[in-house]
Amino acid sequence: MLIVMKKGATDQSVQRVVDTAEKRGYTARPIPGGDRVSIGILYNKGSVDAGHFMGLEGVKEVIAVTKPYKLVSREFQNENTVVTVGNVKFGDGSMPVISGPCAIESEEQALAIAKVVKKAGAVMFRGGAFKPRTSPYDFQGLGKKGLEILAKVRDEIGLPVATEVMDIENFDLVEEYADVVQIGTRNMQNFSLLKRAGRSTRPVILKRGMSAMLQEWLMAAEYIMEEGNNQVILCERGVRTFVRHSRNTLDLSVVPAVKKESHLPIIIDPSHAAGVRDQVIPLACASVAVGSDGLMIEVHHRPEEAMSDGAQSLYPEQFEKLMKMVNKIHAITGGEIF
Ligand code: PEP
Ligand code: MN
């Protein structure tokens, strides 16, 4: 249930609603909105009687929530959530592009790539220090050393950094270095990791599980928000289908579906969807056109020598070309598809 307060309702009247709910054994969560506050009722088993709240001072309306997810849903919060990282905003109609290699391999590699992606217009650097690899024999990332290199990129190049956190064990460490923590596709339903992310002060990029339905993905985001972190960016990165011409199938239709159901920003990673470089540029352009709130693109200065995902990493010149196209398409839509 959602209790919508009148414009200008006082803090005391909001508190009275919260107290009334809590007296009845419910959890009440005030959600500040653009010009009015709403109060979500959580953990109710069965329906809640609207009559308990209707007559209270400052209450405008009481809405029954029909979705299984609450905090992530548009029913709870109509305005788009804008996730802010320094000067970078996701969900405000701008087109932030996160770019960098799949994995941090060395200081020389990270700095070289960060320089070129920044020059081309990327506003955030990415790179894995802890890599979830299908084979235990493949490069697993540089760990703490990789995080230290990311910190150096931030200091020397001046870009905020996003990197994956694979487990609770390393969460404190990753969050100390990262401006944004990423939860990868393989961990989308690692519920203890999601809860830990919900207690983080860092924004979270939550990638879609490779076989996850929209509802499961939004429920995963609900875990993070339920612990108190509302700075969540959803990231579509392709889902597993029967096709062989790409690594995964980019699900562009999930963008309007997410926008309808949720106020959270959604970005697209066409690199992990495609798996091959020649599909990344067209898919990235389509992502902008469909209304994505940003992009994540893998770039490597020497992709043939990359220790992971070289085949899908763009050459710097390709990334420059892509950024020009992204800007043109975004100028046409004005970031106002929804
Ligand atoms: C990544 O972004 O480096 C990554 C491993 O992505 P995903 O979790 O989408 O496979
Ligand atoms: Mn990768």
Side-chain angles (χ1 to χ4, degrees):
M1 172 171 286
L2 187 68
I3 298 156
V4 182
M5 303 299 288
K6 290 179 185 158
K7 271 187 201 168
T10 61
D11 290 349
Q12 289 94 308
S13 50
V14 171
Q15 192 55 46
R16 196 161 310 124
V17 173
V18 171
D19 292 344
T20 305
E22 289 183 346
K23 234 179 264 158
R24 296 189 171 270
Y26 305 128
T27 299
R29 181 81 62 89
I31 307 163
D35 54 12
R36 60 177 98 240
V37 175
S38 300
I39 299 152
I41 304 294
L42 306 177
Y43 301 111
N44 49 301
K45 299 207 173 36
S47 62
V48 179
D49 184 354
H52 299 318
F53 303 100
M54 271 316 289
L56 296 180
E57 190 193 302
V59 171
K60 177 171 180 277
E61 57 182 329
V62 179
I63 303 171
V65 174
T66 53
K67 306 289 182 198
Y69 32 83
K70 299 187 180 209
L71 299 170
V72 303
S73 86
R74 267 217 197 272
E75 283 183 328
F76 256 54
Q77 181 185 315
N78 193 39
E79 295 97 39
N80 291 333
T81 285
V82 176
V83 175
T84 306
V85 186
N87 298 328
V88 184
K89 291 189 191 306
F90 297 86
D92 70 339
S94 60
M95 183 48 57
V97 178
I98 306 169
S99 184
C102 181
I104 301 298
E105 300 165 5
S106 68
E107 190 175 310
E108 177 266 325
Q109 172 246 22
L111 289 172
I113 299 171
K115 251 179 230 155
V116 295
V117 299
K118 184 179 182 191
K119 188 155 172 274
V123 292
M124 192 178 294
F125 185 69
R126 60 145 289 148
F130 294 94
K131 292 302 304 174
R133 303 305 301 278
T134 302
S135 165
Y137 307 115
D138 286 340
F139 177 57
Q140 305 286 306
L142 296 180
K144 183 162 193 275
K145 174 83 189 129
L147 296 175
E148 287 164 2
I149 294 173
L150 282 168
K152 189 142 196 190
V153 167
R154 179 177 40 234
D155 293 347
E156 288 196 8
I157 312 291
L159 287 177
V161 298
T163 196
E164 178 162 353
V165 61
M166 269 173 51
D167 43 44
I168 294 192
E169 205 180 321
N170 288 305
F171 208 111
D172 290 359
L173 182 67
V174 173
E175 122 187 292
E176 190 186 323
Y177 286 89
D179 296 291
V180 177
V181 293
Q182 176 174 317
I183 294 187
T185 194
R186 294 158 189 83
N187 266 322
M188 189 206 81
Q189 283 188 315
N190 180 338
F191 299 113
S192 42
L193 188 65
L194 296 173
K195 286 185 179 180
R196 174 62 184 83
R199 294 192 295 275
S200 177
T201 52
R202 301 293 183 203
V204 179
I205 292 175
L206 177 64
K207 288 198 149 190
R208 180 182 180 183
M210 62 183 86
S211 309
M213 293 190 295
L214 173 57
Q215 186 166 320
E216 293 165 326
W217 190 16
L218 293 178
M219 278 302 198
E222 185 86 15
Y223 266 89
I224 300 173
M225 292 190 71
E226 203 275 323
E227 290 286 335
N229 188 352
N230 58 8
Q231 295 284 285
V232 180
I233 303 162
L234 301 168
C235 179
E236 158 65 24
R237 46 78 71 204
V239 289
R240 177 73 56 97
T241 66
F242 50 84
V243 307
R244 296 281 173 89
H245 59 267
S246 58
R247 180 175 175 182
N248 291 284
T249 298
L250 184 63
D251 181 10
L252 288 172
S253 65
V254 86
V255 173
V258 161
K259 297 277 175 188
K260 190 169 166 211
E261 294 295 312
S262 178
H263 51 82
L264 293 176
I266 173 171
I267 65 170
I268 292 189
D269 165 0
S271 304
H272 289 88
V276 282
R277 185 176 305 123
D278 59 0
Q279 293 178 7
V280 173
I281 292 180
L283 291 179
C285 290
S287 303
V288 179
V290 84
S292 176
D293 293 307
L295 293 172
M296 177 182 279
I297 311 278
E298 284 188 347
V299 172
H300 201 289
H301 65 324
R302 290 195 286 266
E304 48 298 315
E305 290 170 24
M307 294 171 90
S308 66
D309 286 349
Q312 69 196 29
S313 300
L314 296 186
Y315 287 96
E317 315 78 74
Q318 289 181 301
F319 182 65
E320 272 172 44
K321 186 176 157 216
L322 170 61
M323 287 302 290
K324 291 195 179 115
M325 287 156 77
V326 163
N327 290 334
K328 280 191 203 158
I329 299 169
H330 188 247
I332 294 171
T333 67
E336 280 179 8
I337 290 187
F338 302 98

